[in-house]
Amino acid sequence: MQKSFETIVIGLGAMGSAAIYQLAKRGNKVLGIDQYAPPHQFGSSGGETRVTRQAIGEGEEYVPLVLRSYEIWDEIEKATGTKLLTITGWLFLTSMEHSKYYGSSFFGQTVAVAEKYDIPHTLLDSKEISKRFPQFKLKGNEKGYFEPAGGYLKAELCIEAQLRLAKSHGAKFSFDEKVIGFHITTNNKVVVKTTRNECMAEKVIISSGPWLSALLDDKLARYFTVYRQVLFWFDIENSISEYETPNFPVWFWGVGMDEEDAMYGFPAIDGPYGGIKIASEEYIKPVNPDTVSRKVTRGEIENMYKSRIEPYFQGINKKCLKAISCLYTVSPDGKFVIDFHPDYPGVIIASPCSGHGFKHSPAIGEILTELVISGKSTLDIGKFRIRRFK
């Protein structure tokens, strides 16, 4: 195999697949390495679908990324003939006026960002929500934000499509090969050592998700924590149509709006046998990506139904059709890290995404490409610099 490249991308999930596609499209001699064969279920992108929306309550710095990503998704769909993005509308429900999420008024910030960027949306009271979406069991004090441009992405198909395009532009790949470290040569090249090989490049992008910390020293690794998440698909009691688009959107319900109180889900997309996907987020116990249990227990399924499904939804029964786990890599403030390594200017860190990154990944791939080629990005990534933790 060729030993020298302009760029090496370590990890080919959401960010890595986007980066290698954008680099190859620009003629960069790039190698992508993944310890599995992407797309796969072991990182952060498994589970069929991911939410996308335009008014980003996590911070307005994300809005240019997601708007650009919508444009790139369209380009990829046209280039591959693959349907990746489905518009269903996005419904945000909350029961609290000043609910907190990632330390901010998440609902209020979502509305403010929508207004600032002229993102079409409608505000709903509980009566209007019940009329439009009777599937929810409301308490009567909810309010809602509905964004028509929201929807879902077919995550594995998105990764596969970008890898396919990257290959058509000349990118090289090495799958089932784990990176175990890197070092810098006297002439500032980066040597990447794997379980089978050594390769050299001018620049290296580390986009290895939950395995990022293993490639960093302790002073940086402490900023990245991995948590196990579980995704569930529950059966519908009656007609599946009430939970299909356009009758049911992609949604987020803050409930009490603590980070572990919120839940989200999707319309039914696979007919009567696919059920409806619903998940929450848990940030209690850090895990090791190499030793974490991938099995979803009967207790987890029963608890999900009793605590999240039965109290809040009409017409979903307790039969769980499928459940899988995935991994979130989370920074101390819940924001991204997109930056040059503070000690090695030839190394770029592109993680973590803290559970809300997939929708932004095409734009991040473009940003990473710009960092490789010119050292700076068109979109502002000032708030994603790693030095903010110091």
Side-chain angles (χ1 to χ4, degrees):
M1 187 178 75
Q2 179 181 342
K3 297 288 187 178
S4 184
F5 299 85
E6 291 180 277
T7 310
I8 295 174
V9 180
I10 302 172
L12 297 171
M15 306 304 153
S17 62
I20 197 169
Y21 162 51
Q22 295 290 340
L23 283 161
K25 187 171 72 168
R26 289 162 176 78
N28 190 274
K29 295 179 180 178
V30 57
L31 168 69
I33 305 175
D34 198 289
Q35 64 179 316
Y36 300 106
H40 56 75
Q41 300 287 319
F42 301 107
S44 303
S45 301
E48 299 180 6
T49 52
R50 290 296 182 272
V51 174
T52 189
R53 49 192 164 88
Q54 296 186 345
I56 308 299
E58 291 88 347
E60 68 173 271
E61 62 268 27
Y62 295 98
V63 178
L65 274 64
V66 77
L67 295 180
R68 176 60 184 140
S69 292
Y70 268 72
E71 295 173 345
I72 299 175
W73 290 129
D74 183 61
E75 295 171 6
I76 296 171
E77 286 185 330
K78 291 176 180 176
T80 62
T82 304
K83 179 69 172 174
L84 304 176
L85 169 61
T86 299
I87 300 299
T88 65
W90 178 63
L91 177 65
F92 179 3
L93 298 172
T94 183
S95 304
M96 300 179 66
E97 182 65 29
H98 299 293
S99 54
K100 299 292 183 181
Y101 196 73
Y102 288 127
S104 66
S105 177
F106 192 40
F107 188 91
Q109 188 157 291
T110 298
V111 175
V113 167
E115 292 175 347
K116 179 174 180 177
Y117 286 88
D118 294 323
I119 296 169
H121 66 281
T122 305
L123 300 180
L124 307 171
D125 60 25
S126 59
K127 290 183 179 179
E128 292 168 319
I129 297 167
S130 292
K131 183 177 179 180
R132 291 184 62 175
F133 306 110
Q135 301 89 342
F136 295 102
K137 292 181 182 178
L138 302 182
K139 308 299 182 183
N141 63 339
E142 291 83 3
K143 60 181 179 179
Y145 166 95
F146 184 77
E147 182 181 298
Y152 64 85
L153 294 153
K154 286 293 194 75
E156 288 104 331
L157 286 181
C158 291
I159 292 171
E160 190 277 332
Q162 290 176 103
L163 295 180
R164 182 155 36 102
L165 286 174
K167 184 177 181 179
S168 72
H169 288 291
K172 305 297 182 183
F173 296 96
S174 182
F175 297 154
D176 301 311
E177 182 172 4
K178 186 171 183 176
V179 173
I180 57 178
F182 66 88
H183 66 268
I184 311 302
T185 68
T186 55
N187 59 346
N188 292 321
K189 299 289 182 68
V190 186
V191 176
V192 174
K193 182 176 178 58
T194 76
T195 49
R196 300 200 304 257
N197 211 339
E198 281 192 357
C199 302
M200 183 183 297
E202 302 284 340
K203 294 285 190 299
V204 167
I205 296 171
I206 305 178
S207 53
S208 51
W211 294 275
L212 170 66
S213 294
L215 298 177
L216 303 176
D217 58 32
D218 290 343
K219 70 178 181 180
L220 293 181
R222 63 195 173 111
Y223 297 129
F224 307 104
T225 307
V226 180
Y227 294 97
R228 176 178 176 271
Q229 310 294 332
V230 183
L231 314 174
F232 302 86
W233 285 257
F234 281 92
D235 194 21
I236 304 300
E237 288 181 347
N238 300 312
S239 171
I240 194 72
S241 63
E242 64 181 320
Y243 276 101
E244 290 180 319
T245 303
N247 297 322
F248 197 64
V250 167
W251 56 272
F252 174 94
W253 195 345
V255 190
M257 284 302 294
D258 290 328
E259 289 167 2
E260 284 138 28
D261 208 15
M263 55 183 171
Y264 65 96
F266 301 77
I269 64 174
D270 293 319
Y273 305 107
I276 184 168
K277 178 183 173 183
I278 298 178
S280 59
E281 297 180 345
E282 295 185 5
Y283 303 97
I284 299 172
K285 183 180 179 181
V287 299
N288 181 314
D290 293 319
T291 60
V292 63
S293 174
R294 301 284 177 173
K295 182 180 179 181
V296 180
T297 67
R298 171 54 56 183
E300 289 177 303
I301 293 170
E302 291 176 351
N303 180 66
M304 183 67 179
Y305 183 78
K306 290 178 180 178
S307 65
R308 303 296 178 91
I309 308 299
E310 191 173 37
Y312 296 107
F313 293 91
Q314 315 273 2
I316 301 178
N317 68 44
K318 64 176 63 177
K319 182 181 179 181
C320 184
L321 302 175
K322 181 172 66 172
I324 68 168
S325 64
C326 72
L327 302 175
Y328 283 1
T329 309
V330 181
S331 71
D333 59 5
K335 295 185 183 293
F336 300 168
V337 172
I338 307 170
D339 202 358
F340 289 95
H341 192 295
D343 299 323
Y344 309 117
V347 177
I348 300 169
I349 299 171
S351 185
C353 296
S354 299
H356 61 106
F358 201 97
K359 67 183 73 66
H360 305 288
S361 56
I364 293 174
E366 196 169 61
I367 287 167
L368 294 169
T369 296
E370 292 175 338
L371 293 179
V372 165
I373 294 172
S374 67
K376 58 184 180 180
S377 65
T378 303
L379 296 179
D380 183 6
I381 57 171
K383 291 190 176 182
F384 306 136
R385 298 292 188 183
I386 199 167
R387 62 176 177 265
R388 72 183 187 270
F389 298 131
K390 298 180 181 180

